[in-house]
Amino acid sequence: QKKTFSRSLRKPSRCPPTHPFCTAQQLCRTTLINMAGQMSQREADIQMMLAAGCHLGTKNCDFQMERYVHKRRSDGIYIINLGKTWDKLMLAARMLVAVENPNDVVCQSARPYGQRAVLKFAQYTGAKAIAGRHTPGTYTNQIIEGFLEPRVLVLTDPRTDHQPISETAYVNIPTIAFCDTDSPLKLVDVAIPANNKAKHSIGCLYYILARMVLQMRGTISAQNPWDVMVDLFFYRDPEELEDKPAEEAAAVVGDTSAGYDATGGVGAGAAAGGPWGE
């Protein structure tokens, strides 16, 4: 029996079911299953970012963004490594979850393509959203009405949102920003490399970040998935929304039957030579 036990110590894979090494094997198996689930989620997110065009950069590349570039196409456009983008999204989500009060997180976008995504991100995560022009002194001037003291700031474009970045440097607020290949990284603490020019790319990035935050908080899980569509985070052109009622009205008019007369029968009576046509 002693020899059998010593052999089982040397070869824990052949141990009997009641052996204490089985607990460690079960833990390892559970860990591998969890890792496989994470990998599948990572691959699905990368495929979604590919479909949204998050990997497309510009024809210029900042020297600090070279570490996130995978290659350069023949037409001169830099391709972003989406594996590093996903890792940075996970890092940003961990920072946002570490904030005790979700209302202390401010997400901001001065560009129209990111305003709807910012509002939806704030709605689902409990953060504050600033969509539109930034009021100077929002983070430094305590006298103004809209003064805020956030713990973390999330920005869409560090070039367009340069004013809030420079203000947060005075009050020691960490900054998370979606950075393209030509974006300046000055005073940016966590740069998420991605395409911040296209509306689908911006919406997809905010959607994945919001889902990661909710997963880490325990609000959603594999058993309780998030039932929100990524389309809600996409920018919608106001002209398209105005044209929709006209198209619906035209469709309704086109569906009317041939025997219906919108004039109430006046034209029909006149055409038939009835008493109204006299």
Side-chain angles (χ1 to χ4, degrees), residues 45-66:
D45 291 342
I46 290 177
Q47 287 183 356
M48 183 190 296
M49 288 190 285
L50 276 173
C54 299
H55 63 292
L56 300 176
T58 61
K59 292 187 177 181
N60 299 323
C61 184
D62 189 83
F63 74 99
Q64 289 181 307
M65 290 294 295
E66 290 178 354

Side-chain angles (χ1 to χ4, degrees), residues 88-116:
K88 281 301 189 75
L89 282 169
M90 185 66 69
L91 174 63
R94 289 174 179 174
M95 289 180 59
L96 298 178
V97 170
V99 179
E100 295 84 0
N101 186 8
N103 207 19
D104 288 339
V105 177
V106 173
C107 48
Q108 192 166 357
S109 175
R111 297 181 55 207
Y113 278 4
Q115 291 180 7
R116 189 179 186 200

Side-chain angles (χ1 to χ4, degrees), residues 248-278:
E248 293 175 357
V252 170
V253 172
D255 291 340
T256 55
S257 60
Y260 176 74
D261 188 4
T263 61
V266 175
W276 298 291
E278 297 176 355

Side-chain angles (χ1 to χ4, degrees), residues 185-215:
L185 299 187
K186 184 180 180 182
L187 303 178
V188 175
D189 297 292
V190 177
I192 302 175
N195 179 10
N196 59 9
K197 306 288 194 299
K199 57 183 179 182
H200 294 104
S201 174
I202 296 174
C204 178
L205 292 168
Y206 272 105
Y207 172 81
I208 294 176
L209 183 61
R211 197 203 62 223
M212 286 181 175
V213 170
L214 294 178
Q215 281 179 346

Side-chain angles (χ1 to χ4, degrees), residues 61-71 79-81 84-85 88 181 185 189 191 193:
C61 184
D62 189 83
F63 74 99
Q64 289 181 307
M65 290 294 295
E66 290 178 354
R67 70 188 78 173
Y68 304 116
V69 172
H70 172 61
K71 67 175 184 178
I79 304 299
I80 299 171
N81 189 346
K84 296 183 179 180
T85 302
K88 281 301 189 75
T181 55
L185 299 187
D189 297 292

Side-chain angles (χ1 to χ4, degrees), residues 25-277:
Q25 287 181 352
Q26 292 174 359
L27 291 175
C28 293
R29 191 177 297 113
T30 306
T31 306
L32 289 174
I33 293 173
N34 295 336
M35 289 176 63
Q38 292 176 1
M39 288 297 292
S40 62
Q41 183 67 60
R42 184 175 188 266
E43 292 173 357
D45 291 342
I46 290 177
Q47 287 183 356
M48 183 190 296
M49 288 190 285
L50 276 173
C54 299
H55 63 292
L56 300 176
T58 61
K59 292 187 177 181
N60 299 323
C61 184
D62 189 83
F63 74 99
Q64 289 181 307
M65 290 294 295
E66 290 178 354
R67 70 188 78 173
Y68 304 116
V69 172
H70 172 61
K71 67 175 184 178
R72 189 178 187 181
R73 291 196 319 199
S74 58
D75 56 355
I77 294 179
Y78 288 92
I79 304 299
I80 299 171
N81 189 346
L82 291 182
K84 296 183 179 180
T85 302
W86 194 87
D87 294 339
K88 281 301 189 75
L89 282 169
M90 185 66 69
L91 174 63
R94 289 174 179 174
M95 289 180 59
L96 298 178
V97 170
V99 179
E100 295 84 0
N101 186 8
N103 207 19
D104 288 339
V105 177
V106 173
C107 48
Q108 192 166 357
S109 175
R111 297 181 55 207
Y113 278 4
Q115 291 180 7
R116 189 179 186 200
V118 159
L119 293 172
K120 291 294 181 180
F121 178 83
Q123 173 187 349
Y124 290 113
T125 61
K128 285 185 179 178
I130 301 177
R133 179 181 176 273
H134 172 75
T135 304
T138 302
Y139 307 122
T140 55
N141 190 356
Q142 302 180 6
I143 301 175
I144 65 174
E145 183 179 355
F147 175 72
L148 296 174
E149 290 182 291
R151 295 280 303 277
V152 183
L153 180 64
V154 183
L155 299 173
T156 306
D157 188 0
R159 191 180 298 278
T160 309
D161 302 323
H162 63 90
Q163 180 67 26
I165 289 179
S166 61
E167 287 187 13
T168 53
Y170 289 105
V171 290
N172 296 329
I173 297 175
T175 304
I176 302 170
F178 295 106
C179 300
D180 213 330
T181 55
D182 61 344
S183 299
L185 299 187
K186 184 180 180 182
L187 303 178
V188 175
D189 297 292
V190 177
I192 302 175
N195 179 10
N196 59 9
K197 306 288 194 299
K199 57 183 179 182
H200 294 104
S201 174
I202 296 174
C204 178
L205 292 168
Y206 272 105
Y207 172 81
I208 294 176
L209 183 61
R211 197 203 62 223
M212 286 181 175
V213 170
L214 294 178
Q215 281 179 346
M216 293 182 184
R217 287 178 182 169
T219 307
I220 60 176
S221 61
Q223 292 77 19
N224 183 24
W226 202 25
D227 56 351
V228 176
M229 299 292 292
V230 68
D231 303 13
L232 293 177
F233 287 73
F234 292 159
Y235 169 79
R236 299 182 68 183
D237 192 358
E239 296 180 359
E240 296 178 1
L241 299 177
E242 292 175 1
D243 295 342
K244 266 196 172 183
E247 293 175 359
E248 293 175 357
V252 170
V253 172
D255 291 340
T256 55
S257 60
Y260 176 74
D261 188 4
T263 61
V266 175
W276 298 291

